[in-house]
Amino acid sequence: METDADELLAQLFLTPEGLREPYALYERVRDLTPVHRTALGHWVVTGYDDVNTFLRSQHALKDPYRVFAPWVSKDEWQEHAALRRLPNIMLWANPPDHTRLRKLAGFAFTNRAVQAMRPQITAMVESLADKLERDGAIDYMKDFAFPLPAMATGRMLGIPDADLPSLQEPMRAFQDIYELGLTPDDLAACDKGAQFTDDYFSELVEERRKNPGDDLLSALIAAKDGADQLSQGELIGMCNLLFGAGFETTTNLLGNGMLALLRHPEQMDRLRAHPELIPGAVEEMLRYDSPTQLGNRVTDSPVEIAGTVIPEGSSVVALVGAAHRDPRRFPDPDRFDVGRGDAPVLSFSSGIHYCLGASLARMEAQIAFSTLLRRFPRLHCPGGADTVVFRPRLTLRGVESLPLAAG
């Protein structure tokens, strides 16, 4: 069993085929064992209840030094723009630092602020849909799935629309830091992207200090908890975190969700006939092909999962993508069903690290799919949706290109 699970995980993490199509491998590993210790000493958790329990455990901590570029010593991290960012952002912080950062960010990133974006997001979606109507066909990823969340998050932060295209590739280059099996060449590309966005947001923060506006960044600068405020470095990190998560995760939600509809036209027709199913359909898109496939943690004390004790100091990979196809939680889990109403998805994590921008991502997706299905009754993928391939990445899963035609 040990050898078989290790072989399957090697295929999953290390081969282009496993990265592009992981679900059959997830199933085989999950059937072998709910909790597995690999030959390299890492632990893998696969079932829905087990992944959820582990992510919510107070003993499952973030430790970027253990997860990323293990060949780089802790003393050398400051030499790499991509690495030195990680310990200082909320995503990789633990209490009490995480509690402090989350509280300060929460003063600015409120549900009211998100809901106030609804008219703007609706207008953005309609404008992007106009291009599809004019041209008849688009690259959905390039012309819709990226611009929408970039504009939405960008406008919340106060980033000028004209600056958004220049941020796309550097931000995407940095996001590769989250992938397993990072090489020195990969790290160099991540560093280049991180340095570009750090420099950009440093200038933007200074501009907003001098000329505050009605935007999220100005609110973050002004946010106070007594005498406590976000530092310059924390503000830059918060901008990178919010913008990066806003465009990468939501872009892949829009792409993976549209591809699922194109590959299941009966479900697309069902949504057109019953638009009230859209909110639940977005949850099913997140479950069926999650834009976030795994979460990394390190234990600070023994944690028992599914009858197995994971020792203190263990590196653990919680396979969210495998959890979402767990038949014990989702009947017939490989079936894409826009009317499914089962367990909450884990795409935005769980517990204290639940994504701050989850409600914004859901709003964007709901408005986008409602609008596209209403306006275009014959949406299809020229050449066939089965020809679309996923990027060979596992942590952040999405397609590179998705041709989309209006009729």
Side-chain angles (χ1 to χ4, degrees), residues 263-307:
R263 288 179 171 177
H264 300 85
E266 79 287 351
Q267 296 297 312
M268 186 184 290
D269 291 341
R270 185 181 178 191
L271 275 187
R272 283 200 184 92
H274 300 281
E276 70 276 8
L277 294 177
I278 290 286
V282 169
E283 300 307 298
E284 175 69 348
M285 293 169 188
L286 288 164
R287 182 202 70 84
Y288 183 76
D289 210 351
S290 178
T292 305
Q293 291 281 311
L294 58 87
N296 304 91
R297 301 287 192 275
V298 173
T299 58
D300 73 340
S301 70
V303 177
E304 183 174 345
I305 300 292

Side-chain angles (χ1 to χ4, degrees), residues 122-289:
T122 300
M124 293 174 200
V125 169
E126 294 287 358
S127 177
L128 293 170
D130 288 343
K131 177 176 173 57
L132 175 56
E133 186 170 339
R134 285 194 310 269
D135 297 350
I138 58 173
D139 181 336
Y140 175 75
M141 300 306 296
K142 173 178 176 290
D143 298 323
F144 192 102
F146 167 73
L148 174 60
M151 285 191 296
T153 310
R155 288 186 186 176
M156 281 196 77
L157 283 168
I159 302 172
D161 285 354
D163 292 352
L164 295 175
S166 68
L167 290 169
Q168 179 179 5
E169 289 308 316
M171 185 60 73
R172 174 164 280 186
F174 164 72
Q175 300 277 20
D176 282 342
I177 196 73
Y178 298 125
E179 296 304 315
L180 302 176
L182 196 74
T183 68
D185 286 344
D186 294 333
L187 178 56
C190 294
D191 285 339
K192 185 177 179 180
Q195 191 62 62
F196 183 95
T197 59
D198 279 352
D199 291 344
Y200 176 84
F201 285 121
S202 178
E203 293 180 8
L204 189 64
V205 169
E206 287 304 315
E207 168 61 25
R208 287 298 178 274
R209 286 191 192 278
K210 297 173 184 175
N211 301 294
D214 185 19
D215 55 63
L216 179 60
L217 178 53
S218 297
L220 287 169
I221 292 170
K224 288 186 177 183
D225 183 20
D228 189 19
Q229 287 185 281
L230 294 168
S231 69
Q232 177 78 359
E234 289 167 343
L235 286 165
I236 294 169
M238 197 70 72
C239 288
N240 276 303
L241 174 61
L242 294 173
F243 183 74
F247 101 74
E248 183 75 8
T249 305
T250 311
T251 291
N252 291 339
L253 164 58
L254 293 169
N256 299 0
M258 177 58 75
L259 184 60
L261 289 175
L262 292 167
R263 288 179 171 177
H264 300 85
E266 79 287 351
Q267 296 297 312
M268 186 184 290
D269 291 341
R270 185 181 178 191
L271 275 187
R272 283 200 184 92
H274 300 281
E276 70 276 8
L277 294 177
I278 290 286
V282 169
E283 300 307 298
E284 175 69 348
M285 293 169 188
L286 288 164
R287 182 202 70 84
Y288 183 76
D289 210 351

Side-chain angles (χ1 to χ4, degrees), residues 40-45 51 53-70 74 77 91-95 180 294-305 309-318 349 352-353:
L40 296 177
H42 303 287
W43 293 79
V44 176
V45 182
V51 167
T53 297
F54 182 73
L55 291 176
R56 298 179 70 85
S57 171
Q58 63 178 330
H59 299 298
L61 303 183
K62 298 290 189 98
D63 186 349
Y65 298 107
R66 290 279 301 276
V67 173
F68 302 108
K74 192 172 182 178
W77 267 49
L91 179 64
W92 286 95
N94 296 304
L180 302 176
L294 58 87
N296 304 91
R297 301 287 192 275
V298 173
T299 58
D300 73 340
S301 70
V303 177
E304 183 174 345
I305 300 292
V309 176
I310 300 176
E312 177 183 351
S314 297
S315 174
V316 183
V317 177
S349 195
I352 66 169
H353 285 284

Side-chain angles (χ1 to χ4, degrees), residues 318-332:
L319 288 177
V320 170
H324 284 170
R325 298 291 185 99
D326 186 346
R328 294 167 298 180
R329 193 54 135 156
F330 302 98
D332 196 5

